[in-house]
């Protein structure tokens, strides 16, 4: 049994779904979406390691592998997997490793940067790594959130800033997988082996690399739908929960 803190909402008991949040988030933001999909599925969502009320990452194995293993222990029958950002890459990794465990797969803003190398994004991530290594995690978090977080650093409480700065260590620890595919998710036949209905959902105003990643993944997934949400950026499950829930629902109906 996983030791991740698990949040659960009422829903269709006979059809469990698992929702995985983004880096520096926590599972609570799935609540509005879970409510809108309660007639279709019962959504549970863990706080990922080092987030919310879950324990910290112990330092090994690598952050993405540790997180994937912890989440996989929550799956005891075929489930609908829904993931956002980092959570989308964890859901994708599980679907590649155990396609029989996945009833449907919804990937929201997947950040598997290795799918489509982007020099500009690589440069930004290298800069963030250098800041963390130099002990400037506050500045690294401020810059990271300006691109991916949709929140203002200055608006955070001192405790919130401390938490976000500390979580930059997780950003650095996860990027061996996200940027260099250390988990070999892009291996020949991996994506092609997912036979569940998939949806890739992105925001129209997200960083350009997200659209490129979506193109690269969609070209290899056997059964995939795509949607680009107008007026939305990377944090669309929080900013546009109604529209996101409707699009997830379309993919659930296909399964």
């Amino acid at each position: 049994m996983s030791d991740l803190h698990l949040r659960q909402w009422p829903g269709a008991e006979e059809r469990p779904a698992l929702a995985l949040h983004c880096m520096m988030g926590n599972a609570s933001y799935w609540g509005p979406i879970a409510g809108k999909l309660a007639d279709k599925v019962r959504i549970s969502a863990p706080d990922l390691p080092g987030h919310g009320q879950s324990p910290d990452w112990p330092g090994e194995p690598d952050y993405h592998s540790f997180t994937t293993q912890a989440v996989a222990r929550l799956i005891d029958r075929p489930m609908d997997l829904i993931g956002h950002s980092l959570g989308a890459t964890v859901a994708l990794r599980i679907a590649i490793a155990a396609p029989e465990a996945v009833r449907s797969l919804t990937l929201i803003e997947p950040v598997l940067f290795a799918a489509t190398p982007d020099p500009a994004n690589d440069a930004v991530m290298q800069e963030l790594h250098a800041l963390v290594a130099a002990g400037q995690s506050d500045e690294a978090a401020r810059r990271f959130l300006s691109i991916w977080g949709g929140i203002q650093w200055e608006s955070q409480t001192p405790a919130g800033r401390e938490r976000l700065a500390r979580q930059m260590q997780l950003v650095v620890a996860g990027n061996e997988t996200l940027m260099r595919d250390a988990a070999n998710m892009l291996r020949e036949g991996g994506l092609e082996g997912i036979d569940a209905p998939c949806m890739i959902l992105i925001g129209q105003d997200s960083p350009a690399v997200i659209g490129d990643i979506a193109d690269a993944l969609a070209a290899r997934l056997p059964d995939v739908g795509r949607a680009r949400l107008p007026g939305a950026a990377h944090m669309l499950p929080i900013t546009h929960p109604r529209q996101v829930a409707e699009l997830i629902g379309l993919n659930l109906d296909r399964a």
Side-chain angles (χ1 to χ4, degrees), residues 62-77:
D62 68 273
Y63 183 73
H64 202 278
S65 294
F66 181 83
T67 299
T68 302
Q69 292 164 11
V71 170
R73 288 194 289 271
L74 298 171
I75 301 174
D76 58 1
R77 53 179 150 164

Side-chain angles (χ1 to χ4, degrees), residues 18-231:
L18 200 61
L20 308 176
H21 66 77
C22 66
M23 182 68 75
M24 295 187 174
N26 65 65
S28 65
Y29 71 64
W30 293 111
I33 292 172
K36 296 179 187 305
L37 293 173
D39 62 328
K40 297 180 183 291
V41 291
R42 176 181 55 79
I43 289 182
S44 301
D47 290 335
L48 299 182
H51 295 78
Q53 299 179 51
S54 283
D56 287 339
W57 169 54
E60 58 180 22
D62 68 273
Y63 183 73
H64 202 278
S65 294
F66 181 83
T67 299
T68 302
Q69 292 164 11
V71 170
R73 288 194 289 271
L74 298 171
I75 301 174
D76 58 1
R77 53 179 150 164
M79 285 188 177
D80 298 283
L81 294 189
I82 304 160
H84 172 218
S85 192
L86 168 71
T89 69
V90 172
L92 182 62
R93 186 170 177 178
I94 290 171
I96 292 169
E100 71 282 358
V102 181
R103 183 167 177 172
S104 73
L105 179 65
T106 302
L107 306 175
I108 304 170
E109 298 266 317
V111 288
L112 187 56
F113 300 118
T116 174
D118 179 283
N121 183 66
D122 290 352
V124 169
M125 298 311 296
Q126 289 168 6
E127 180 183 14
L128 294 176
H129 284 213
L131 286 168
V132 172
Q136 300 180 49
S137 293
D138 282 18
E139 177 61 16
R142 186 188 68 78
R143 295 191 192 185
F144 179 84
L145 292 167
S146 71
I147 301 170
W148 299 106
I151 62 174
Q152 294 296 319
W153 176 258
E154 292 74 15
S155 69
Q156 303 303 300
T157 65
R161 292 184 189 180
E162 190 277 332
R163 172 180 55 81
L164 294 167
R166 185 175 67 252
Q167 288 172 336
M168 282 305 301
Q169 294 288 346
L170 305 181
V171 174
V172 170
N175 272 340
E176 188 68 23
T177 293
L178 301 184
M179 299 189 69
R180 286 173 282 279
D181 192 26
N184 201 23
M185 286 191 279
L186 298 172
R187 64 186 180 271
E188 183 177 353
L191 293 166
E192 292 81 359
I194 300 174
D195 58 3
C198 301
M199 168 157 310
I200 301 176
L201 172 57
I202 67 174
Q204 186 178 53
D205 300 331
S206 293
V209 68
I210 290 293
D212 295 338
I213 294 169
D215 289 343
L217 297 179
R220 295 181 55 188
L221 288 165
D223 181 1
V224 61
R226 297 184 59 178
R228 187 186 297 263
L229 194 57

